[in-house]
Every structure is written in C-alpha cells, then in structure tokens.
Amino acid sequence: MRTFRLAIAIFSLLLFTSLLAAAQQFDLVIEGGRVMDPETNLDATRNIGIRDGKIASISATSLAGRRVIHAAGLVVAPGFIDIHQHGQDLENQRVKAFDGVTSALEMEIGAADVTEFLQSKQGHSLINYGTTASHLAARSLVFGTPLPTGAIIPKSGPATDNPATPEQIKAIEQRLTHEIDAGALGVGMGIQYSPGATRLEVIDMFRLAASRALPVYTHIRSFGRVEPGSAIEAVEEVIGAAAISGAPLHIVHVNSTCLRDTFECLSLIEGARARGLDVTTEAYPYIAGLTPINSALFNPGWKDKLGIDYGNLVVPGTGEHLTKQRFDELHNSRTNQWVLVFANTQETIDATIPNPLIMIASDGDKGHPRDAGTYSRILAYYVREKGTLTLMEALRKMTLMPAQMLERSTPAARRKGRVQEGADADLVVFDPQTITDRSTYSQPMVPSVGVQYLLVGGTPLIDEGKMLDGVFPGQPILGPGNTGR
Ligand SMILES: [Zn+2]
C-alpha cells in the first residue's frame, strides 16, 4: 500500500513538473543574444521568450521554447520603424526587411485613399504598415483632378498652384475627416508640392488635425536661402501653425529641405521644443533626394533656391545627368519621371545624423539607395566606420524615437520600438560586425546584408539570413479614428 502511495506521489510530481514546463514553454526563444533596449538602456546577454506575438520573458537564465534561435554574437534589438516610406509594394517591403525594418509607414504625405491602402495590405504585407491622411490627395480631388492610382504627388497645375476657395477648403477638410475616420495616423502635408495653399489653408489643416488630437507630418514649403521663401521661413511657418493650433508637428527630411542650413533649421526646432511645443524631425543618410520632375518642386526658380543646375539632376537607373533641353522635355512630359536631386554635401549629412533631435527615416522608394540601405548604412558607416554614433544611440534613432512619436496618435505604439516584457515581438537580430548596406545610386535595390533574423509580431520573416516564402505577418498600425467598424 505504501509503495502504491509513493508511486502516486511520484506520478503526481512528474505530472506537475511537466505541466509547469509546458506552462513555461514559449513559442520561440532567442537565446544568448546581446539584447539592447534604448528605453531602459538594457545592454546585456539575455534570453527572450516569445508567446502569442509578444515578448513574454527576458531572462538571464535559460528558457524553454518550441523553437530556439541561437543568437550568440548577434544583437537583438527592436525592429526598425521607418515612419517615412513611400514604396509600399512587396519588392520594397522585401528590401526594407533585409534592412531590419519591421514597420514602414507612409507618413510624409500619405496614401491617397486610406481605406483602399489598408484593405490592399491586409493579409498581404510582409511588415507592419500605416499611413497619414493626404492633404495633397484631398486637394487634388477637390480641384477635380484626383491623383492617379498609386501616385502620392500631383503633377503641377491648378490643383497645386492655385489658392483654394473657402468652399474648397471646407471640402478638403471633409475629405481629410473621412480619411482620419478610416484610420489615418495624422494629417500628411507636402506643402512644397501645393504652393498655391495659402498660410491660412495650412493653419486650417493644422486646426483640423488638432481637433482630432492628431499630429501633422509635413514636407515644408520651401528650400534654400532666397528670401522670401527660404527654408527658414518654411520651418517658421509650420512651427507657427503648430503653436497656433496645438497640433504636434513632425518635419520630414530636414536634411534634404534645409540643406546647408540644416543646423539653423534644427536650432529653430530646438527653440520651439524648449518653449514646450511638440516638434520632431528626421533625416536620411544620403546627399541626394528623389522626386517627380513634373511636380511643383520644379516650378520656376528651383535652381536659385537649391543652388544647383540641370547637371545635378540624374535619372535613376541610367545615370543620365540632365541638360536644360532634357529637363524641359521631362518636365513637360505626361509620364511621371522621377529624378535624383544632388543638392547636399557629405559634411552636412555626417554632422546631421548624430544630432540628438534627428530620428532616422528613409523616405524610401525604388530608384534611390535609401529605400534598401538607410538603416544598415547608419550601423555600418556612422556606428562602425566613423564612430560618430554609439550602437545604442543609433538604435534609439531607429526604434524608440519613432515609436514615441507614433504614440501621439496610437496607443499601440507603446508596444513598439522596445525590447521589454509585454512589447510586440517585432525584433531584428543582426551581426553588428557585418551589417552593411549594398544599395547604390546605380543599383538601388540591392538588399543589405547582416540581418540574420527578423520577427514581425513574433513570426519569423527572415530566418538564418533568408526570407521565408508565403509569410505575411505585417499588421496595420492605425490612428484613433478607426474604431474597428
Ligand atoms: Zn519629401
């Protein structure tokens, strides 16, 4: 009888411990990596247990998982959040993933139709996605020349160059309200691409954003030093609109708008922040921009403003430098030719990237190496080669800062950009010694190397350095207007 009781006791103990082990079993464990979290400054060897798409445990002791990824010698960081990504198809998403990006959002100008954008990506997205509501698209629509499918920037014409009537401004606001209700993360404005928009129209759009507690993301009105209409004035305009309306403000690509006056522009932003305004900005690590040649950006006066000539415009792919004749031909063409704009210096970019106000965003699209290489380039060139950024500082600019900016409009962002228990398991596992961009102006879509694993919501997308087929773990990141109807 005693032996029987003992057997039962042993059996129960075994059952209990196996149940306990099952309870502690994670879907996935990343073992022994150098875990880096820019919010808590954790930088140590840890094991990460992932369950149901979330980081369930971060531990110095070993964890049991149905699958274990060995990450010794590799950095485990939050997946990079690119808040400024235009190219949104799978070819773009693929190179973003190899660059360590787990969320790529169209936040400068925004998709022309938020509902259509979100629906087209549902279940078909490699990485997380989201968009602002586009003032340019709403304006084009109201002027009777809606943007062609897939376009974000209008060809210059009445819809870009003429002021809107009060009735048209009302109609633009109605359209933007509709887009906000569909889940936009803010109002996106490309003011330079709609020079006909008056200062008051801009303030009205900021007021609309503020009334929904949303930020404005903007490509500002102008570049260069020619007054009136300098980059300094353009920064003043949107800081003024933010102060008047109360809407948070994000100024996109300060590098390519402010050019050699980037530090003056940053000092204006710093001043606004010191006065309590919520103003942020971003840069990408390249000297050239990329934009449609038939847009209002090339309205008369562009050469003086940019301080460049026709030869500084280059056709992506062919490498053709333009002449006046070729410029006129392409500018007046009905086809939407994009051109690389070489208007900045390496010295300015190198001094801009380490500035603590700067978060990294790619402004990515096919035709420019920033699409595929921005994040690896920061790690290879500024962290490893030049040593002007520490690895943790670089990660902060690529993860925590954009997440904190997104928190203005979506509480879900509090679970992004962090390696912490309870955070979404959007993680990049890379080799800090080898991660390198390989995209160039002549071959812009060559993917970066060095990312060994990329997890989106706990699902591996890149596994042992290779992308898995048929896996679409990308989820929407939605603004507060989308109530899940
Ligand atoms: Zn832009």
Side-chain angles (χ1 to χ4, degrees), residues 33 180 192 260 271 461:
I180 290 166
Q192 191 165 26
R260 57 198 160 149
L461 179 65

Side-chain angles (χ1 to χ4, degrees), residues 10 38 53 69 117 129 140 155 161 175 183-184 209 211 226 247-248 253 275 334 345 364 371 374 386 415 454 479:
I10 290 170
I69 287 173
F117 174 85
Y129 53 93
S140 298
K155 179 175 167 27
D161 294 0
R175 172 68 187 176
S211 75
V226 180
H253 55 47
R275 254 48 77 188
R334 295 178 70 84
T345 65
D371 195 27
T374 290
K386 288 182 80 75
R415 301 193 309 269
L454 191 82

Side-chain angles (χ1 to χ4, degrees), residues 84 86 108-109 193 219 252-253 256-257 363:
H84 187 166
H86 297 302
E108 174 185 28
I109 289 165
Y193 296 105
H219 174 131
V252 302
H253 55 47
S256 69
T257 297
D363 195 4

